[in-house]
Amino acid sequence: MVFIFLVTGLLIAVAIGLSLYRVVAGPGVFNRTAAVNVIGTKTIILLVVLGYYCERPYFFDIALLYAMINFIGTLVFAKYLERGNLWS
């Protein structure tokens, strides 16, 4: 059972690494924003897997909080890209 969690964690880490490459070498700002959002989603999945493996239910709460922060941050950044400022 430990092997399954190890393989899952490594695959998620590889996916995060590939997305990080897209953030650095992305062709445009929208692709980079989507890649940052993918990294946030993969981090949430990694937190859930790690919480299940370590039998720590608090990791699920942390993952949920991180998901909300990731979603709100993406919306704020999208609004900034569309309008050029955040307040109008």
Side-chain angles (χ1 to χ4, degrees), residues 2-72:
V2 174
F3 181 72
I4 294 172
F5 287 114
L6 180 65
V7 170
T8 304
L10 287 174
L11 288 175
I12 293 171
V14 167
I16 289 173
L18 291 173
S19 297
L20 188 61
Y21 172 75
R22 180 52 57 193
V23 169
V24 173
V29 70
F30 295 109
N31 290 334
R32 291 177 177 173
T33 304
V36 168
N37 198 12
V38 167
I39 290 173
T41 304
K42 298 298 180 193
T43 304
I44 293 163
I45 294 170
L46 192 59
L47 277 171
V48 169
V49 168
L50 187 64
Y52 185 77
Y53 172 69
C54 295
E55 297 177 0
R56 305 280 184 188
Y58 299 115
F59 280 19
F60 300 116
D61 297 334
I62 294 169
L64 184 62
L65 180 66
Y66 188 74
M68 290 188 295
I69 291 171
N70 188 27
F71 178 70
I72 291 170

